[in-house]
Amino acid sequence: MTTASAEPKGIARLQMEEEQLISESLLKRALRRLWHDRLTMTAIGVIAILAILSIGAPFISEQILNTDYSRVDMAATFLKPGEQGHILGTDDLGRDHLARLLWGGQVSLGIGFTAAILSITIGVSIGIFTGYYGGIVDDLIMWFITTINSIPSLFLLLIFAALFDPGPLGLILVLGFLGWTGTTRLVRGETFSLREREFVISARAAGATDLRIMFVHILPNLISIVVVTLAIDIGVLILVESGLSYLGLGVPPPTPSWGNMLTDSQSFINRAPHLVILPGLLITITVLCLYVIGDGIRDAFDPTIVD
Amino acid sequence: MRKLSAIVLLVVAALVLSVLALPAAAQDEGGPGEGGIIIESNFGGDIATLNPIIISDASSSAVAGFLYPGIIGLDPETQNAAPNVAGALATGWEYDETGTVLTIYLRDDAFWNDGTPITAADYLYAAEAIKSGETDSARTYVFDSIESIEAPDDYTVVVTFKEFNCRSFNDVNDIPVVPAHIFSEVFETYADMNEDVDYNLNPTVTFGPFAFGEYRPAEQVSLVADQSYPDTILGYVSPAGWIYKNVADQTVEIELLLAGEINVVAGVTPERQQDMRDNADIQTFDYPANGYTYMGFNLADPTNPQDGLDEDGNPIDQGNHPLFGDVRVRQAIAMGVDVASMVDATLFGEGVQIATNAIPTSWAYDDSIEPWPFDPEAAAALLEEAGWIDEDGDGVRECRGCLYAEEGAPAEFELLTNAGNTTRERIGEIIQSQLADLGIKVNFNAIDFNILVQTLLGQEFDAIIIGWSLGLPDDPDGTAFYGPENDLVGSGFNFVSMNNEELNRLYNEAAHVPGCDQDARAELYIEANRLLRNELPYLYLYSANAQYAVRAEVEGFDPFPSFLYWNIDAWRVISAE
Amino acid sequence: MLKYTVRRLIQGIPTFFGITVLSYMLMLAAPGNPIELLTFDPNISVEAREKLAIQAGLNDPWPLQYLTWLIGNDWRPVDMNANGVLEEGEYGVRQGILRGDFGRSFFYKRAAITVIGDRIPATLELGVAALITSLVLGIPIGVIAAIRRGGIFDNFSRVMAVVFNAVPSFWLGIMMILFFGSILGLLPMNGRCGTVLVGGCPPLYARLEYLIMPTFVLAAGGIAGYSRYMRTSMLETISRDYIRTAHAKGLPGRTVWFKHAARNAMIPIATFLGPALTGLWGGAVITERVFGWPGVGRLAVEAVTQRDYPVVMAIVILGAVSTIIGYIVSDILYALIDPRIRFS
């Protein structure tokens, strides 16, 4: 902190404040737009309700439903909704369908959310890093990404699924570690252009460390990309989870997930349609809402769209 | 309105005509190759090869079964080896007085469909190919018991065994009969069978009701009627052909049957069997499947897997499993699991509970050996007696003076099965739920089959749910599963590390009954099974029902268990018109 | 341009080797053993299994297995009959992938490349049909939605796009089979062509009905994706100056929309085509399974679960090579279409 550097730093601060002012007003405008976007707000509401119900699954099933997702009752199989106090009926082993749907939601949403966070964290970190430094590091990482992307993703998915322990945690790791390359490419491109912007240059002139520039100055400008990717990725991952269940590679029982509930009840479509329809409907609605949210946020942040 | 009356008129006319035509129809029973096409769905994966020497998958065997004769036939009704069975060669056989030399007499009226007689040389060729070790046939094991095979003349085969053993007889049928005159031409060396030789999937010279038609990869295999086949019931082969059509989804499989796009489903899943019985368009046949499902207990210490015997044949100390080492715990678990309800819930009642590894169709089955009753109270009492008591009231018992676990260790174990098999997954969930009531904590995991096989053969598991499908003819011996010589870490099938002297003695005696009299052998096997029922190396669960479902317009459907097609040459599909 | 292409191809070589090493190691690292699976049968003795493992080279250390796979083993003595003795002149028979030999499938007992080759036509048929369908439907929907922005068609198409994208595809497939196949009896439920004794599959035009449902299920995502992309791209383009100029010059609306705006908006789609074509490779596993379609995707899943290493690796390598080429082609396409980019 010598006086010699005081002046440039002052100028830099001024410019930074200006930039921040702009991004702040952008954020404000985006939020205001979101608030007025009824479709997106409804979707956010639906997801919030589903999330709360899923998180509350242990409490709801124990305290309110007085049951457990794995409590087998062979005297009460295939009950219809409403029978014997089972609000949504029971499945082929007499387990409460509502409790299983709630727990299944916890697992499916949990996997989607955590894996998406994981892959975006990896993707954004590497993307900023390689975009900011460029050069040989960038070449190497891009080569690695091209290599990974050239291997059929199905193969990677199957092999990784075999390498990790089965179960939700393994699936999170597999999906998280496989999905980051797209985000990296996106973030890298954005960082390329951001690092030439004035507020970055002046921050650098003011002596800010690279890390500080990357995470304090560049990262906030990527927020819309991150949020949009996050919303869409969660949706995609929930679908991937159900697809893997169909191939027999999803979350293994006894843990319920929407995907394995849908797959396992397939053959009961004539006997107990509610077992099939509900998980399918929940998956569809959830993914639908996440896509809508993704779109809505993208529009809200889009500077080319005028109010 | 005019349309309707026209239809009514047509129906009436058809009825009248059909009544008038009845005597004529009785004579008109179709003719050679006019009986339509039999289409069976194949859920089991595409065929690999039609060369019976190297076949190792079920789909390929199902197709090749129509194309090549067996040396000794199985009577479809008794499921036992019998002389003069249609489609097989042996007219009789006899042992010498030592029981180590088997002479098989072959018929002289069987010809490959190119006119070449089928002789002992055709059997010898396959035997030599397998023995050479150059092919990748997995059947080299037959020469563990067989010393040599010779052919004194064209229609006599003499098999010499290394030692007398009643079980060796079945090895004879594991060697196929192939047209040697063609094979030796197509395959310059035995090793050539491993290569991409077109003949492996396009066999032209065969013997059976059908000859090879064509193969469409991952879609279907078709066979066409072969009127040169001599062993027909009607004097000719009625169906025009048989198609094995790949279907990858079991829901779709049933829809195809209902829509008439296929006319045979040989393995209806339990949840659909009742639907099939109730459907007027479908004929069904239910029978106990030739196999069973069980929960296997690792009796030895899973943290330190050891072989059963050392090089000199002396037992190795394998330690004891903290829980399952004590037979009382296994018995308590047997009484704590409600298998009857399990059959109802996971198989929709389509199965029978079993007490041992003999299923009801086995010749060593004795219904006086009953499964353990479902009795949670007795189970709890037995656990207390074995020193497993829940003193801290957390719902899980702890070791309080038990035999093999550390004092205070919880009664907890890991139960594994293969992911993707929904029936086994449901069984695991039921066992987990019911043993929790008994104060035993079960950590149930469904894992990838590859990992399961490694954990299993590596003997590093606690307990496992899996099944065995059995071969024909029936062999009640259990040495492969319970013999100490097969307790080999990483490769043997006695992965539960069973070693019971009495059991070993019984199996050994049963395999060496002079003259191999089946009744005398059965008595010994029943005694062995009684022992297994009490010792419980496996908790034997059930044998599921299998079902053949065939469309109503197929005439001649008259199967025996495991023999759906024994009379297929007399089948006929009545067309709807 | 030739120079550019050659340089890109040379750049692909290290990527190719990276892929081979990475996938080979991953595959061998996966738990499981193909011989154990093929012989999970108490009848088969330990010795018989051991013999099969030796013949398949599975007991060799992994660098040697990799090398054998890459350059073959016909140059070194190998105990082919697994009798424990190396006899005179007993050499390997594999030539390695660099000489076009992808090895022999453990399960199918013939050359891995033949097994895959048998499946490629079906995969291409379905994949190309789905790609064409998604382009032919997706692009016009996107353009019209952009023109009628905010209108009923726009909103309807956006909702449908999202809905079809949000349904698990196996579920969509099975529901379609039940409805169109089973209940209405309109469309065949399974397979690629009719079940006939002999005569093989008729030419494509004679069995289009088999293609309808699987194509739709596979294309549902693509239709949605392309229409959304096209809509955004159109909206961006029509805000550009030259479109405004064209409007101002009094050109008729339709000409401006379709001749100027849509053509320019389609440029980015061209860059998708390369990767999209190669993405078809094994990308249709679920659809193939639901509809019993005899394609590569199903084979890939089976091969991985059976640990049929030669087949798995052949699929990976063919997929990787076509992806690398796909990227190069789409870059070249992009440069050709977009005058702002020059080859350098």
Side-chain angles (χ1 to χ4, degrees):
Chain A
M1 291 268 177
T2 57
T3 43
S5 68
E7 203 183 52
K9 203 173 179 182
I11 294 168
R13 178 166 296 142
L14 208 73
Q15 272 172 347
M16 276 156 61
E17 271 165 9
E18 196 183 335
E19 290 269 357
Q20 260 155 17
L21 221 66
I22 292 166
S23 63
E24 225 176 73
S25 76
L26 260 177
L27 187 69
K28 248 186 198 161
R29 194 171 70 145
L31 285 177
R32 195 186 65 238
R33 277 180 179 177
L34 261 186
W35 184 248
H36 290 290
D37 183 349
R38 258 190 228 157
L39 185 64
T40 310
M41 286 315 288
T42 317
I44 291 177
V46 172
I47 292 293
I49 292 171
L50 285 174
I52 291 168
L53 285 175
S54 300
I55 292 167
F59 176 80
I60 298 173
S61 55
E62 263 169 45
Q63 303 298 322
I64 303 177
L65 304 171
N66 290 320
T67 183
D68 171 6
Y69 70 85
S70 64
R71 169 109 340 256
V72 171
D73 179 0
M74 303 215 262
T77 55
F78 292 118
L79 292 185
K80 290 195 174 55
E83 282 180 358
Q84 294 183 22
H86 295 282
I87 299 170
L88 292 179
T90 57
D91 70 359
D92 52 312
L93 296 183
R95 296 172 296 194
D96 187 80
H97 198 221
L98 178 58
R100 283 181 70 74
L101 281 173
L102 293 173
W103 276 99
Q106 190 175 60
V107 173
S108 289
L109 286 173
I111 288 175
F113 193 76
T114 328
I117 296 259
L118 182 63
S119 86
I120 281 173
T121 312
I122 300 174
V124 170
S125 320
I126 298 182
I128 293 189
F129 185 75
T130 176
Y132 185 76
Y133 287 111
I136 184 102
V137 178
D138 183 49
D139 286 346
L140 270 178
I141 288 178
M142 287 320 281
W143 173 78
F144 184 70
I145 289 182
T146 316
T147 307
I148 292 268
N149 282 353
S150 303
I151 303 177
S153 52
L154 174 74
F155 165 78
L156 289 177
L157 201 64
L158 292 171
I159 290 291
F160 271 100
L163 283 174
F164 286 99
D165 263 348
L169 190 68
L171 214 54
I172 288 172
L173 292 176
V174 173
L175 297 175
F177 283 125
L178 285 182
W180 56 273
T181 53
T183 319
T184 301
R185 280 167 173 266
L186 213 63
V187 168
R188 170 179 170 269
E190 202 68 11
T191 310
F192 259 143
S193 67
L194 283 172
R195 73 170 182 186
E196 306 303 333
R197 294 269 288 275
E198 281 179 10
F199 68 99
V200 173
I201 295 170
S202 28
R204 198 179 295 137
T209 61
D210 286 350
L211 265 183
R212 188 178 159 79
I213 294 173
M214 283 190 260
F215 287 96
V216 177
H217 300 290
I218 295 182
L219 188 61
N221 287 283
L222 299 170
I223 194 79
S224 73
I225 294 185
V226 170
V227 177
V228 171
T229 318
L230 187 68
I232 294 185
D233 272 9
I234 297 173
V236 170
L237 288 173
I238 290 175
L239 284 181
V240 170
E241 189 267 320
S242 77
L244 284 176
S245 286
Y246 178 69
L247 297 176
L249 300 163
V251 179
T255 314
S257 79
W258 289 344
N260 68 25
M261 289 175 72
L262 180 60
T263 307
D264 293 351
S265 58
Q266 225 194 92
S267 47
F268 306 135
I269 179 110
N270 296 322
R271 199 186 295 247
H274 66 281
L275 293 181
V276 195
I277 292 169
L278 286 170
L281 209 61
L282 280 172
I283 293 177
T284 309
I285 290 177
T286 308
V287 178
L288 198 79
C289 288
L290 286 164
Y291 285 169
V292 168
I293 294 172
D295 266 6
I297 294 175
R298 181 185 296 139
D299 284 354
F301 275 98
D302 191 344
T304 62
I305 297 178
V306 282
D307 286 299
Chain B
M1 211 47 217
R2 260 196 20 222
K3 220 173 177 178
L4 188 72
S5 52
I7 291 172
V8 171
L9 208 75
L10 267 177
V11 170
V12 171
L15 279 174
V16 170
L17 270 177
S18 65
V19 170
L20 287 177
L22 255 182
Q27 284 165 4
D28 175 30
E29 292 198 314
E34 287 169 12
I37 303 171
I38 313 294
I39 306 171
E40 180 183 338
S41 61
N42 170 17
F43 179 68
D46 202 21
I47 62 163
T49 175
L50 292 177
N51 179 344
I53 294 171
I54 56 172
I55 281 178
S56 60
D57 66 296
S59 300
S60 303
S61 309
V63 179
F66 286 120
L67 303 176
Y68 298 95
I71 179 129
I72 299 177
L74 298 183
D75 182 324
E77 199 172 346
T78 63
Q79 306 197 339
N80 278 330
N84 302 315
V85 173
L89 301 180
T91 55
W93 59 86
E94 64 191 11
Y95 277 100
D96 71 342
E97 66 282 1
T98 64
T100 56
V101 180
L102 172 68
T103 308
I104 308 169
Y105 304 102
L106 308 184
R107 60 198 272 196
D108 58 6
D109 62 342
F111 297 86
W112 298 107
N113 60 3
D114 66 349
T116 316
I118 303 177
T119 67
D122 295 323
Y123 183 69
L124 251 61
Y125 175 88
E128 283 303 319
I130 291 170
K131 198 175 183 180
S132 74
E134 289 173 24
T135 73
D136 77 343
S137 174
R139 297 172 192 229
T140 46
Y141 62 82
V142 298
F143 289 100
D144 292 348
S145 67
I146 294 176
E147 175 72 40
S148 67
I149 301 177
E150 282 147 23
D153 63 63
D154 274 357
Y155 297 103
T156 311
V157 170
V158 177
V159 181
T160 309
F161 296 102
K162 287 180 178 160
E163 54 174 32
F164 168 66
N165 188 321
C166 300
R167 301 184 52 222
S168 303
F169 182 75
N170 289 351
D171 284 338
V172 173
N173 247 359
D174 285 348
I175 301 171
V177 179
V178 298
H181 65 292
I182 299 293
F183 271 50
S184 52
E185 214 171 273
V186 174
F187 307 107
E188 276 177 31
T189 65
Y190 296 135
D192 281 352
M193 289 185 193
N194 301 344
E195 294 311 308
D196 212 341
V197 178
D198 181 51
Y199 194 84
N200 278 342
L201 279 170
N202 186 21
T204 49
V205 176
T206 56
F207 174 83
F210 299 111
F212 180 73
E214 71 183 16
Y215 166 57
R216 297 205 317 239
E219 288 185 75
Q220 63 167 54
V221 192
S222 64
L223 305 181
V224 291
D226 185 347
Q227 300 300 347
S228 74
Y229 178 62
D231 298 350
T232 54
I233 295 165
L234 302 171
Y236 57 85
V237 177
S238 159
W242 177 82
I243 297 177
Y244 207 30
K245 181 181 168 66
N246 294 29
V247 181
D249 185 285
Q250 287 187 305
T251 310
V252 178
E253 185 180 33
I254 295 296
E255 292 306 323
L256 287 171
L257 180 71
L258 294 176
E261 285 185 39
I262 57 176
N263 42 33
V264 178
V265 174
V268 179
T269 53
E271 64 262 35
R272 298 306 291 270
Q273 291 183 3
Q274 188 59 42
D275 295 352
M276 295 298 103
R277 282 193 288 269
D278 293 344
N279 193 314
D281 292 336
I282 309 287
Q283 339 171 40
T284 55
F285 180 76
D286 299 272
Y287 65 98
N290 198 20
Y292 59 89
T293 299
Y294 63 89
M295 168 173 161
F297 299 110
N298 191 350
L299 309 181
D301 181 2
T303 59
N304 179 26
Q306 297 285 332
D307 287 353
L309 302 174
D310 63 14
E311 282 169 14
D312 305 324
N314 300 315
I316 296 173
D317 178 20
Q318 301 177 294
N320 288 292
H321 189 277
L323 263 175
F324 307 134
D326 187 346
V327 66
R328 290 172 296 183
V329 175
R330 308 200 293 272
Q331 292 172 344
I333 289 174
M335 288 190 288
V337 175
D338 184 1
V339 181
S341 310
M342 183 187 286
V343 170
D344 285 342
T346 63
L347 296 178
F348 304 89
E350 316 284 356
V352 285
Q353 185 177 1
I354 50 170
T356 73
N357 64 351
I359 60 169
T361 47
S362 166
W363 50 264
Y365 179 75
D366 181 350
D367 59 12
S368 76
I369 306 179
E370 286 182 15
W372 288 83
F374 175 55
D375 189 345
E377 280 166 29
L382 202 54
L383 283 174
E384 307 265 327
E385 185 195 314
W388 291 96
I389 299 155
D390 182 16
E391 279 181 359
D392 58 10
D394 64 350
V396 179
R397 294 168 187 273
E398 303 95 40
C399 173
R400 302 286 175 216
C402 69
L403 279 183
Y404 301 118
E406 271 177 43
E407 193 67 11
E412 181 178 0
F413 69 91
E414 188 181 39
L415 178 61
L416 299 175
T417 196
N418 54 315
N421 184 323
T422 39
T423 309
R424 287 182 199 159
E425 287 167 356
R426 286 178 186 131
I427 293 171
E429 292 169 281
I430 291 172
I431 291 177
Q432 182 182 39
S433 176
Q434 293 188 332
L435 291 189
D437 293 344
L438 203 58
I440 299 176
K441 185 168 178 222
V442 180
N443 302 311
F444 171 55
N445 277 316
I447 60 177
D448 177 53
F449 190 65
N450 288 281
I451 307 175
L452 187 81
V453 168
Q454 284 205 326
T455 322
L456 187 66
L457 295 179
Q459 305 191 0
E460 289 170 341
F461 65 101
D462 288 330
I464 187 164
I465 304 165
I466 197 168
W468 290 129
S469 48
L470 307 170
L472 285 173
D474 178 34
D475 179 5
D477 181 85
T479 327
F481 310 126
Y482 316 117
E485 68 275 22
N486 289 310
D487 181 0
L488 298 165
V489 177
S491 54
F493 280 79
N494 179 7
F495 39 73
V496 294
S497 298
M498 178 75 168
N499 186 1
N500 182 297
E501 277 178 28
E502 175 68 2
L503 188 69
N504 301 344
R505 187 188 65 77
L506 287 167
Y507 279 148
N508 190 37
E509 211 170 294
H512 296 96
V513 167
C516 296
D517 174 56
Q518 200 176 76
D519 292 338
R521 290 181 70 201
E523 264 179 47
L524 290 161
Y525 283 124
I526 288 169
E527 207 174 316
N529 289 342
R530 212 177 291 280
L531 187 147
L532 284 175
R533 183 263 182 194
N534 293 329
E535 280 296 316
L536 288 164
Y538 295 173
L539 169 55
Y540 304 92
L541 296 170
Y542 59 70
S543 171
N545 280 354
Q547 184 183 63
Y548 300 132
V550 172
R551 288 205 52 97
E553 54 269 23
V554 176
E555 266 187 4
F557 170 66
D558 185 22
F560 294 106
S562 306
F563 288 87
L564 168 61
Y565 286 132
W566 67 276
N567 65 342
I568 191 170
D569 49 278
W571 283 26
R572 182 168 166 235
V573 185
I574 312 289
S575 50
E577 280 80 37
Chain C
M1 201 190 104
L2 185 71
K3 233 168 125 186
Y4 174 78
T5 314
V6 170
R7 209 185 69 216
R8 285 295 307 270
L9 280 173
I10 291 172
Q11 279 173 353
I13 292 174
T15 312
F16 175 78
F17 279 97
I19 291 164
T20 62
V21 176
L22 198 67
S23 12
Y24 207 89
M25 278 171 55
L26 276 173
M27 188 186 63
L28 289 190
N33 169 331
I35 302 300
E36 259 173 24
L37 291 179
L38 276 176
T39 60
F40 193 67
D41 175 351
N43 277 330
I44 298 175
S45 61
V46 177
E47 294 77 24
R49 264 184 274 158
E50 187 66 11
K51 181 185 93 70
L52 292 174
I54 294 173
Q55 280 177 328
L58 292 168
N59 288 1
D60 296 338
W62 83 260
L64 187 58
Q65 288 191 47
Y66 174 75
L67 210 64
T68 300
W69 173 74
L70 201 64
I71 61 172
N73 63 0
D74 53 351
W75 44 271
R76 65 181 171 95
V78 176
D79 184 13
M80 290 304 287
N81 59 3
N83 59 358
V85 188
L86 281 175
E87 283 121 31
E88 189 77 18
E90 205 183 12
Y91 279 76
V93 293
R94 298 268 74 93
Q95 297 194 301
I97 60 158
L98 293 182
R99 284 183 282 165
D101 178 1
F102 283 84
R104 175 174 176 271
S105 160
F106 298 142
F107 180 81
Y108 289 101
K109 299 176 185 293
R110 54 198 144 106
I113 199 73
T114 331
V115 177
I116 296 167
D118 284 344
R119 307 288 189 101
I120 288 179
T123 288
L124 281 184
E125 203 172 285
L126 179 58
V128 170
L131 186 64
I132 292 176
T133 309
S134 48
L135 287 174
V136 165
L137 289 180
I139 292 179
I141 290 176
V143 171
I144 297 172
I147 297 173
R148 303 256 177 274
R149 188 178 168 200
I152 295 174
F153 184 84
D154 185 22
N155 286 333
F156 181 75
S157 69
R158 281 170 76 189
V159 170
M160 288 318 278
V162 183
V163 168
F164 277 112
N165 243 349
V167 184
S169 60
F170 73 90
W171 183 234
L172 181 63
I174 288 173
M175 288 299 107
M176 285 182 73
I177 288 175
L178 288 177
F179 188 70
F180 293 105
S182 187
I183 297 175
L184 296 183
L186 282 177
L187 293 170
M189 298 185 267
N190 186 78
R192 181 179 171 220
C193 50
T195 313
V196 289
L197 263 190
V198 281
C201 257
L204 185 60
Y205 62 84
R207 51 182 168 85
L208 282 177
E209 70 270 26
Y210 284 89
L211 211 52
I212 295 175
M213 284 202 285
T215 302
F216 181 76
V217 171
L218 194 56
I223 297 172
Y226 286 121
S227 69
R228 277 154 54 110
Y229 195 86
M230 202 57 203
R231 179 178 174 275
T232 323
S233 186
M234 270 299 274
L235 288 176
E236 222 168 84
T237 316
I238 54 185
S239 67
R240 296 239 176 88
D241 286 348
Y242 65 97
I243 299 292
R244 291 198 194 133
T245 317
H247 269 298
K249 276 192 342 203
L251 287 175
R254 187 172 298 174
T255 318
V256 179
W257 288 116
F258 288 97
K259 222 170 157 194
H260 294 92
R263 264 173 68 178
N264 280 295
M266 267 166 69
I267 289 175
I269 297 242
T271 63
F272 286 0
L273 276 181
L277 266 172
T278 54
L280 303 173
W281 187 252
V285 189
I286 290 177
T287 314
E288 284 182 358
R289 172 145 164 198
V290 173
F291 292 98
W293 198 264
V296 179
R298 249 168 75 198
L299 179 68
V301 178
E302 284 165 13
V304 173
T305 40
Q306 289 159 343
R307 301 288 186 268
D308 197 342
Y309 299 153
V311 174
V312 174
M313 286 309 296
I315 293 178
V316 169
I317 294 309
L318 293 180
V321 168
S322 63
T323 310
I324 294 175
I325 293 174
Y327 275 121
I328 297 176
V329 167
S330 74
D331 283 358
I332 294 171
L333 263 183
Y334 196 62
L336 283 179
I337 296 173
D338 195 332
R340 287 168 299 180
I341 293 177
R342 288 269 159 266
F343 293 107
S344 57

